[in-house]
Amino acid sequence: PTGAIYGVLNMLRRLHKETRADYSACVFDAKGKTFRDDVYPEYKANRPPMPDDLAVQIAPLKEAIAALGWPLLEVEGVEADDVIGTLARQGERDGVRVIIASGDKDLAQLVNPAITIENADPRTGEREILDEAGVERKFGVRPERIIDYLTLIGDSVDNVPGVAKVGPKTAVKIGRAHV
């Protein structure tokens, strides 16, 4: 199987071609538990293991990413999101314009005038750019309220419960009422 390798490498090539960057990095989750597992043992407990046809592509994908010249980061004990968030905030403090290429909704909390998110559909190449207005259009709340919004609705993928009987519409109402 090579679909993941092909898709990720095409995305990285496109990013390199279309987005001028003084700095770039590709961030992966490190193997093993994170601090979140210590805080909440049920974190991601319902997530099935990575399919074998994807798992066998990870090592050659990392080799290919390195061969393309991208720095590859994995930090033990934290998720890739945490590394991305740290780098984004560090870049912001240093006056660097930050573009995060990811479809992970948790990262929307980082968006501000210096940090945007780009998500490209690997099948169509269609791009979604999330600046502050884009986050509000997509989720109904400003980036600084994303943590509250996601806490209220929960996340079944990560096995994080939300507040009973609070879905996205109610979470948006609550988020807007407490601005």
Side-chain angles (χ1 to χ4, degrees):
T2 58
I5 297 169
Y6 180 78
V8 171
L9 294 181
N10 277 339
M11 179 190 71
L12 292 175
R13 280 193 203 102
R14 193 195 84 254
L15 278 169
H16 182 73
K17 180 180 173 185
E18 296 176 5
T19 307
R20 190 188 74 73
D22 294 328
Y23 310 98
S24 60
C26 192
V27 185
F28 279 79
D29 286 328
K31 288 185 179 189
K33 294 195 177 284
T34 71
F35 70 92
R36 286 183 179 84
D37 297 296
D38 295 332
V39 172
Y40 180 55
E42 296 302 310
Y43 183 64
K44 295 187 178 182
N46 63 347
R47 196 178 272 192
M50 183 183 299
D52 291 341
D53 65 335
L54 178 57
V56 298
Q57 295 180 69
I58 300 299
L61 173 60
K62 289 177 182 177
E63 289 176 29
I65 289 168
L68 286 174
W70 284 78
L72 186 64
L73 302 173
E74 294 177 275
V75 179
E76 191 174 315
V78 296
E79 293 185 0
D81 292 2
D82 302 310
V83 177
I84 293 166
T86 299
L87 292 172
R89 292 293 191 217
Q90 194 171 30
E92 175 189 19
R93 276 193 308 275
D94 293 345
V96 174
R97 174 91 177 90
V98 177
I99 299 170
I100 299 169
S102 175
D104 190 326
K105 66 184 177 299
D106 296 338
L107 295 171
Q109 65 186 292
L110 298 169
V111 172
N112 63 36
I115 301 170
T116 57
I117 295 174
E118 177 180 322
N119 180 23
D121 185 317
R123 297 172 309 271
T124 66
E126 187 174 318
R127 293 165 64 182
E128 172 186 48
I129 307 295
L130 294 180
D131 55 10
E132 289 176 293
V135 169
E136 193 161 4
R137 270 192 309 276
K138 183 171 183 165
F139 297 101
V141 296
R142 298 201 35 80
E144 59 271 14
R145 291 285 179 218
I146 287 290
I147 295 172
D148 302 327
Y149 172 83
L150 294 174
T151 299
L152 289 167
I153 67 169
D155 188 343
S156 61
V157 173
D158 289 342
N159 198 38
V160 176
V163 174
K165 299 183 182 179
V166 175
K169 288 181 184 179
T170 303
V172 167
K173 287 179 190 174
I174 293 169
R176 288 187 176 163
H178 293 91
V179 173

